[in-house]
Amino acid sequence: MAAAIFGGAPVPEGLTEEERAAFGPFRAQFMKGYIAEQGQSPQTIGYSLTDSPVGLAAWMLDHDTDSYEKISRAFVDGEPAGGLTRDRILDNITLYWLTRTGTSAARMYWESLRAAAAAAAAGQTPPEVSLPVAFTVFPGEIFRAPRSWAERVYPNLSYFNEVDRGGHFAAWEEPEIFAEEMRAAFSPLR
């Protein structure tokens, strides 16, 4: 996700049609979705994520609409979405539960937003990512970042592609596509 592109800013002027289509879902997620919750108060949600495996499972299920539909379909109907099967969902929840890393995973958003706010308050921009970056857009992602956003966030963008399957948990849902994308992205850098 090219999440650092606008933060909580109002709709910028001069967006292309593709950027306007992506901005609505992007802004909604930052205003009231899991990014907002984890970005503002990760410790609050962290208590549920580390106190109750049911709370952790519920948080992962209700992550976003695409994930909700795929996870519930795998559980209720026994219809996995690629690699997103009932057993793998339980494996992932168990991994977070046993390592007690739900809160630290949530804190990543708070730390990122805090760093961006501090830079903005100082009249600076966050430091650029100087490493080569690959970016793949999956159709079920929370918002589909256009190439222009990826280029803006990652000035050393070395690979950009859009694929036909997968969502926010792409490596989990479509491991073959994800592996193909990794190979395509980084083989020229060997």
Side-chain angles (χ1 to χ4, degrees), residues 107-118:
R107 283 184 63 87
M108 174 190 77
Y109 294 89
W110 178 77
E111 290 169 2
S112 296
L113 291 172
R114 188 172 172 185

Side-chain angles (χ1 to χ4, degrees), residues 14-72:
L15 294 179
T16 67
E17 188 174 321
E18 181 184 31
E19 290 172 330
R20 277 194 304 278
F23 194 81
F26 166 81
R27 187 171 191 195
Q29 194 63 35
F30 269 86
M31 300 298 250
K32 77 176 229 182
Y34 81 95
I35 293 172
E37 172 64 30
Q38 293 177 165
Q40 294 168 7
S41 49
Q43 291 302 124
T44 303
I45 192 64
Y47 295 125
S48 173
L49 300 178
T50 57
D51 185 57
S52 164
V54 174
L56 175 61
W59 184 251
M60 294 185 83
L61 172 66
D62 200 23
H63 192 270
D64 62 86
T65 303
D66 181 65
S67 300
Y68 175 83
E69 290 172 5
K70 289 174 180 172
I71 291 171
S72 61

Side-chain angles (χ1 to χ4, degrees), residues 136-141 144 163 165-168 170 174 177-178 181:
T136 300
V137 178
F138 293 88
E141 182 56 277
R144 296 184 61 159
V163 295
R165 289 189 322 271
H168 189 65
E174 299 294 340
I177 293 174
F178 189 82
E181 285 299 290

Side-chain angles (χ1 to χ4, degrees), residues 119-136:
Q124 301 171 344
T125 58
E128 286 186 354
V129 176
S130 60
L131 300 170
V133 172
F135 198 94
T136 300

Side-chain angles (χ1 to χ4, degrees), residues 84-101:
L84 195 59
T85 64
R86 177 185 281 215
D87 285 345
R88 288 188 176 153
I89 294 165
L90 291 173
D91 288 346
N92 196 33
I93 292 167
T94 301
L95 180 62
Y96 273 98
W97 179 252
L98 294 177
T99 59
R100 303 186 62 77
T101 51

